[in-house]
């Protein structure tokens, strides 16, 4: 049976050992870019064909049968307990998962502040500025769309009756994106020491980043929504970059060592893809890093 790359992205995040403590070591600042500035779409007037299904996306638009790649139902004897059926057999009472390749649901960051650059907005690391309510503003990002210096190479969305969003009228479970190209990012790099890690874990919290965040498994009983993450020294909807372990990075890391936190750098990152657990995340390969 065809496997969803979302499943592997999620699994990769679980095994990295990421935690809220990792994120609280870092901070971010305001990112003020309009949606129009952040991404552009290739010319296309294609409208979905086929039949409208009971599935509804994060943008509030129904999903059509022509947009569905794979449908499975539960089968205890099958691979992973599921078997594939035709799209025409999709039924709300029996389906196990629906995979739609070619698009993902994303939201743009509304705020990105940290205590380093905005000390007046924090008190002892606690954000004291105006808090934003949850937002339900999402849009589709499609294969071929340009986002800053990158192009969407692959995108996928999964619907499941077991997802956290089930019961809110959509069954939306996850979205994921792979990008082609390299992105130059200014931000704060940390190499977190943790007994669970064989080496220091490298992450980058961007100051200027045009990438939108994919949906997370988050529901607040009002439907699918996103909200800033409130942590020690930051308040943000901008995802950080998980760049792997220090020993596995090919870029020149001169001047950096395990235990460093919030080192301001300019970095070039490639092989970028989205991930998510309790908060949005980008994965990528660090190509070069310059201390600022």
């Amino acid at each position: 049976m065809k496997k969803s790359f979302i499943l592997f992205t999620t699994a990769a995040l679980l095994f990295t050992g990421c935690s809220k403590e990792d994120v609280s070591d870092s901070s971010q600042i305001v990112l003020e870019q309009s949606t129009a500035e952040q991404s552009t779409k290739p010319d296309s007037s294609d409208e979905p064909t086929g039949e409208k299904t009971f599935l509804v996306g994060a943008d509030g638009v129904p999903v059509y049968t022509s947009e569905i790649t794979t449908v499975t139902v539960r089968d205890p004897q099958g691979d992973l307990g599921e078997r594939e059926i035709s799209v025409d057999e999709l039924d709300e009472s029996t389906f196990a998962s629906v995979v739609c390749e070619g698009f993902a649901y994303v939201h743009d960051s509304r705020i990105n502040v940290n205590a380093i650059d905005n000390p007046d907005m924090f008190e002892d690391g606690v954000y004291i500025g105006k808090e934003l309510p949850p937002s339900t503003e999402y849009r589709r990002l499609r294969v071929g769309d340009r986002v800053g210096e990158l192009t969407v190479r692959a995108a996928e969305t999964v619907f499941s009756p077991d997802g956290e969003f089930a019961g809110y009228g959509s069954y939306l479970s996850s979205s994921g994106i792979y990008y082609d190209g390299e992105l130059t990012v200014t931000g704060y790099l940390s190499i977190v020491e943790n007994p669970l890690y064989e080496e220091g874990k490298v992450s980058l919290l961007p100051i200027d980043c045009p990438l939108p965040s994919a949906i997370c498994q988050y529901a607040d009983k009002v439907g699918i929504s996103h909200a800033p993450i409130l942590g020690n020294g930051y308040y943000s909807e901008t995802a950080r970059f998980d760049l792997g372990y220090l020993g596995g990075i090919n870029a020149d890391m001169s001047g950096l060592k395990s235990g460093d936190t919030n080192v301001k750098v300019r970095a070039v990152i490639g092989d970028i893809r989205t991930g998510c657990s309790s908060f949005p995340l980008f994965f990528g390969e660090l190509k070069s890093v310059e201390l600022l």
Side-chain angles (χ1 to χ4, degrees):
M1 183 183 76
K2 187 173 183 180
K3 307 297 191 303
S4 163
F5 77 67
I6 299 297
L7 298 178
F8 293 103
T9 300
T10 303
L13 177 58
L14 294 176
F15 283 107
T16 58
C18 294
S19 65
K20 292 182 179 178
E21 286 73 22
D22 293 346
V23 179
S24 65
D25 289 333
S26 308
S27 52
Q28 304 175 336
I29 74 166
V30 175
L31 174 63
E32 295 181 346
Q33 289 179 292
S34 69
T35 298
E37 292 174 327
Q38 290 183 346
S39 65
T40 58
K41 296 183 178 181
D43 292 335
S44 174
S45 58
D46 293 341
E47 295 294 333
T49 58
E51 299 295 326
K52 183 168 66 174
T53 71
F54 56 85
L55 302 171
V56 179
D59 56 359
V61 177
V63 173
Y64 285 74
T65 53
S66 62
E67 301 176 298
I68 296 174
T69 305
T70 305
V71 179
T72 65
V73 293
R74 297 196 183 282
D75 179 6
Q77 306 302 318
D79 184 19
L80 296 180
E82 298 179 11
R83 64 180 175 85
E84 188 173 331
I85 62 173
S86 71
V87 175
D88 293 337
E89 297 178 272
L90 173 62
D91 184 90
E92 187 170 9
S93 62
T94 60
F95 88 104
S97 68
V98 169
V99 177
C100 300
E101 295 182 357
F103 66 87
Y105 296 104
V106 299
H107 68 84
D108 299 301
S109 177
R110 296 176 296 165
I111 191 168
N112 184 19
V113 297
N114 70 73
I116 297 175
D117 299 294
N118 302 271
D120 57 324
M121 301 180 72
F122 293 81
E123 188 174 299
D124 296 326
V126 178
Y127 178 70
I128 58 174
K130 180 181 179 180
E131 294 191 20
L132 298 179
S135 172
T136 58
E137 293 296 317
Y138 286 88
R139 58 189 174 89
R140 282 193 188 190
L141 198 61
R142 303 175 187 273
V143 169
D145 285 358
R146 292 279 298 175
V147 183
E149 303 167 37
L150 306 177
T151 302
V152 177
R153 170 164 54 90
E156 185 178 85
T157 292
V158 178
F159 295 86
S160 168
D162 299 324
E164 289 187 32
F165 300 138
Y168 300 118
S170 80
Y171 298 112
L172 185 57
S173 179
S174 60
S175 276
I177 305 160
Y178 281 88
Y179 292 98
D180 278 333
E182 296 181 350
L183 187 68
T184 301
V185 181
T186 300
Y188 294 99
L189 187 141
S190 296
I191 308 175
V192 179
E193 294 179 317
N194 189 307
L196 297 177
Y197 306 154
E198 295 180 1
E199 302 177 65
K201 190 70 177 300
V202 182
S203 65
L204 178 69
L205 291 143
I207 292 172
D208 54 343
C209 179
L211 299 182
S213 296
I215 64 166
C216 273
Q217 293 254 346
Y218 172 79
D220 58 5
K221 298 184 179 180
V222 297
I224 301 163
S225 62
H226 58 90
I229 298 171
L230 181 62
N232 182 20
Y234 71 95
Y235 183 67
S236 177
E237 285 189 322
T238 301
R240 69 168 183 166
F241 284 88
D242 182 333
L243 302 172
Y245 297 104
L246 183 59
I249 290 179
N250 294 322
D252 182 2
M253 301 293 283
S254 299
L256 296 165
K257 64 184 184 303
S258 186
D260 285 347
T261 58
N262 298 330
V263 179
K264 193 171 185 179
V265 301
R266 181 179 297 110
V268 177
I269 304 173
D271 191 26
I272 296 173
R273 55 204 184 278
T274 63
C276 196
S277 60
S278 58
F279 49 85
L281 195 65
F282 299 126
F283 295 97
E285 180 184 354
L286 186 58
K287 301 288 188 177
S288 67
V289 57
E290 174 190 358
L291 301 183
L292 298 178

